[in-house]
Amino acid sequence: MAEPWWKGALLYHVYVRSFFDANGDGQGDLAGVEAKLDYIKDLGVDGVWLSPIHPSPDRDWGYDVADFEGVHPDYGSLADLQRLLDAAHAKGLKVVLDEVLSHTSDEHPWFVESLTGGKDGPKADWYVWADPAEDGTAPNNWLSVFGGPAWAYQPARRQHYHHKFLRQQPKLNWRNAEAREAALKVLDVWLARGVDGFRLDVAGTYLHDESLADNPPVPVTERTSHDWSHAGNLQRHFHDSNLPENEEMLEVIRRRVESYNSQDGGDRFVFGEFSEEEDRCGGYLSPDAGLHSGYTFVMLLARKLTPDFVRGHYETLAAYPTHWPTISFSNHDVPRTVSRFGGEDASPELAKLMFALLIALKGTTLIYQGEELGLPQAKLTRSQLRDPVGDLYWPYAGGRDGCRTPMPWREADPNLGFTTGKPWLPMAREHEGLTVEAQEADPESTLSFAKAVIALRKASPAMSLGELEFLDAPDPVLAFVREKGDERIACVFNLSAEPKAPTIAALEGAELLAVRSGEAELRGGSLGMSPYAAVFLKL
């Protein structure tokens, strides 16, 4: 029986506002994505994941949805989206939308009615409301991801409403059957319009503890730099979200999506983002018990380039053998991969290594736009920031805008080919010389290598769908085998800026494959590797 298309697929993550501007207003748009479909197709990927496309006040840049059934006017119209869908499908590309079903904008009509209709109104309980403490403070100790209490007082109801993120993002009450069904109908609307699936934002947050119990603290002796980086990380999020019964909601969602599999387009795909308490809320379920797949922030937050950042995550996954993971090193929320691991040493060699490692790992793979170019993090001034998180923690952290700057397409252009107008975020000067135009003309570029390693994976059942088994290798070398049927491919990575020559018994008699980054020489079981080399061998 053939595997569903999404298993082992590669999805290209398009942050629409920063991808390509087709009308010159400085904002990327759907027509811009359509104009670059040949570029995406030429990479060799299976489809695209579009950042949220719905109308929004953009307090959190699209993750505060004001109308689930429309298209943001900055991006175009429903007709533009339909043209993009048709064009992508004609090229054999799937289209996956980003849906935010756990909360809405405070400008969404549902919330306006919940606020103004009174405690007995028809949508009174569509959001999470609670009475203030006697002294007017928040109902409990829940903290927002974006700073401060996760509650906002509204005198119109003399109550607080819960918001896990910005105060302009009120939490939808999935314990209310009507509110839950309204959220599920959002999926129906877009599936009927022909999309191939969804990435679900913060998929562990659908349910809250009705008793509003306080979250317990992270013990002081166990706190890491990650915990101290945000106040909200200093508590375990057991009651505001990540409840064990969240798993039931994930299965409801998957079944709803799968009910459209019989329509044109075949299997639909739904995967989730899990950033907290993943093993508690359904992040590692099997494809027939929760969502089809999910990704966590374990690898997205890693900053130390050692074999442990990969081994540790796959050791966790080994405890959930029926789970099919989604793998990502980079996205619109975290610093770009080459800067996160390399700091100022954001070299093409490191970029190639990290891209090869991403493509070699078991799972459905997410490639954030520009990762194939090896783009480093952009450096912005405070006055240039558009991200509320960046402003909140300046200058300790620069926020998320450094990974959201517009895609560089052409050299000798003030805006690097992104727009003829003023770009919504500044073009990154760090990206000059790394444009698509420059790299397409260079057979040794990161882009040329990215296409080659994607082609290697697509041609190999073992690399696409095979199991992963680690090989004994001395640090800082990471080695594993991808295996399916009679095919076995060894993947070996020198995670250091120094040459290495590890002896790995399993490599004796192996055949070095032509696709590699850096230099490699095999003598018996000894593999000589240049700095940041990525090597593939047929066993």
Side-chain angles (χ1 to χ4, degrees):
M1 184 175 179
E3 298 283 6
W5 69 265
W6 50 263
K7 199 167 187 181
L10 300 112
L11 291 179
Y12 188 75
H13 175 190
V14 172
Y15 192 76
V16 177
R17 193 174 295 274
S18 291
F19 192 59
F20 181 63
D21 173 20
N23 64 7
D25 66 356
Q27 318 278 344
D29 43 45
L30 295 173
V33 180
E34 182 183 353
K36 298 297 185 181
L37 282 179
D38 284 339
Y39 170 77
I40 295 171
K41 176 68 174 177
D42 193 48
L43 291 175
V45 300
D46 299 283
V48 296
W49 150 29
L50 302 177
S51 59
I53 61 166
H54 304 310
S56 165
D58 292 327
R59 298 284 191 161
D60 191 24
W61 296 104
Y63 287 89
D64 50 328
V65 177
D67 174 8
F68 284 110
E69 297 188 20
V71 168
H72 198 304
D74 287 351
Y75 299 155
S77 64
L78 279 172
D80 292 321
L81 178 64
Q82 191 61 55
R83 280 192 292 272
L84 172 58
L85 281 171
D86 293 343
H89 289 158
K91 295 179 185 296
L93 294 170
K94 304 291 186 179
V95 178
V96 171
L97 297 188
D98 203 329
E99 290 297 345
V100 191
L101 302 182
S102 178
H103 56 260
T104 71
S105 165
D106 61 355
E107 297 184 22
H108 195 290
W110 297 346
F111 182 72
V112 173
E113 185 173 346
S114 186
L115 169 64
T116 62
K119 293 183 180 181
D120 298 320
K123 290 186 172 61
D125 294 325
W126 276 42
Y127 292 81
V128 181
W129 293 94
D131 294 334
E134 190 172 348
D135 61 359
T137 55
N140 60 22
N141 77 338
W142 295 354
L143 291 175
S144 163
V145 174
F146 290 168
W151 296 92
Y153 181 71
Q154 271 290 357
R157 282 188 52 149
R158 299 183 179 180
Q159 287 185 305
H160 288 267
Y161 65 85
H162 173 43
H163 57 90
K164 189 170 177 66
F165 299 94
L166 296 176
R167 64 176 299 276
Q168 295 89 356
Q169 293 171 291
K171 173 71 177 67
L172 201 61
N173 182 13
W174 272 60
R175 292 193 179 278
N176 179 290
E178 291 182 348
R180 182 172 64 248
E181 179 60 22
L184 292 170
K185 283 182 177 177
V186 172
L187 305 177
D188 295 338
V189 167
W190 294 100
L191 289 165
R193 288 173 175 167
V195 304
D196 300 290
F198 305 97
R199 176 263 190 189
L200 299 179
D201 191 54
V202 292
T205 66
Y206 294 119
L207 297 180
H208 69 288
D209 181 352
E210 286 187 294
S211 74
L212 304 185
D214 282 351
N215 282 328
V218 175
V220 174
T221 57
E222 298 177 11
R223 292 177 180 176
T224 66
S225 58
H226 170 67
D227 297 320
W228 286 108
S229 67
H230 296 283
N233 293 348
L234 297 176
Q235 58 183 222
R236 301 296 300 272
H237 290 275
F238 286 172
H239 300 298
D240 60 332
S241 51
N242 307 306
L243 276 66
E245 54 263 47
N246 190 70
E247 296 180 358
E248 301 169 18
M249 298 300 98
L250 301 178
E251 184 161 354
V252 167
I253 291 170
R254 176 185 52 77
R255 289 180 176 176
R256 190 69 161 247
V257 171
E258 286 183 338
S259 70
Y260 286 79
N261 281 359
S262 60
Q263 297 187 14
D264 291 343
D267 295 321
R268 271 30 178 216
F269 177 44
V270 58
F271 70 101
E273 172 199 48
F274 297 89
S275 59
E276 303 166 340
E277 314 294 349
E278 297 91 348
D279 57 346
R280 174 183 166 92
C281 66
Y284 297 129
L285 294 176
S286 69
D288 59 356
L291 304 180
H292 293 125
S293 185
Y295 72 89
T296 73
F297 271 59
V298 174
M299 303 184 91
L300 290 167
L301 295 176
R303 291 175 177 266
K304 190 174 181 180
L305 187 56
T306 71
D308 287 344
F309 102 89
V310 175
R311 283 182 174 272
H313 186 50
Y314 278 83
E315 286 171 3
T316 298
L317 293 175
Y320 306 91
T322 60
H323 173 67
W324 182 261
T326 298
I327 301 300
S328 178
F329 288 174
S330 178
N331 67 22
H332 61 288
D333 281 333
V334 299
R336 285 192 173 274
T337 304
V338 72
S339 295
R340 205 167 74 247
F341 287 102
E344 295 300 318
D345 181 25
S347 65
E349 291 76 21
L350 178 58
K352 291 177 183 179
L353 168 79
M354 297 310 298
F355 194 89
L357 177 56
L358 173 67
I359 300 302
L361 292 172
K362 175 188 174 182
T364 294
T365 303
L366 307 178
I367 302 169
Y368 183 48
Q369 65 183 49
E371 209 163 359
E372 75 280 11
L373 303 176
L375 298 183
Q377 185 82 346
K379 297 177 182 178
L380 304 177
T381 66
R382 186 172 192 174
S383 64
Q384 293 172 323
L385 297 181
R386 309 293 296 275
D387 176 21
V389 180
D391 187 66
L392 176 68
Y393 288 109
W394 184 273
Y396 170 75
R400 300 170 292 180
D401 287 331
C403 64
R404 297 178 176 183
T405 54
M407 184 84 166
W409 293 99
R410 295 196 315 272
E411 300 292 333
D413 182 296
N415 294 324
L416 300 181
F418 166 69
T419 180
T420 57
K422 181 182 178 181
W424 79 285
L425 276 176
M427 304 303 299
R429 294 304 109 191
E430 295 87 349
H431 298 171
E432 292 176 356
L434 296 175
T435 63
V436 171
E437 178 185 64
Q439 296 203 37
E440 284 184 331
D442 179 4
E444 301 300 318
S445 68
T446 303
L447 176 58
S448 296
F449 174 73
K451 292 178 181 180
V453 76
I454 288 174
L456 172 66
R457 168 162 158 166
K458 298 294 290 183
S460 166
M463 293 284 285
S464 296
L465 296 167
E467 295 302 315
L468 184 152
E469 180 182 354
F470 289 102
L471 297 173
D472 288 333
D475 286 356
V477 173
L478 173 67
F480 53 83
V481 173
R482 298 296 309 279
E483 178 176 2
K484 184 172 177 60
D486 295 333
E487 185 184 31
R488 301 179 72 229
I489 303 292
C491 310
V492 188
F493 306 90
N494 177 9
L495 305 182
S496 78
E498 304 294 332
K500 298 295 175 183
T503 297
I504 303 173
L507 300 184
E508 190 159 353
E511 174 190 348
L512 278 167
L513 299 182
V515 176
R516 73 176 71 103
S517 66
E519 300 298 323
E521 182 180 5
L522 182 64
R523 294 184 178 181
S526 178
L527 181 63
M529 307 175 74
S530 62
Y532 295 136
V535 182
F536 301 97
L537 308 95
K538 184 177 181 180
L539 301 182

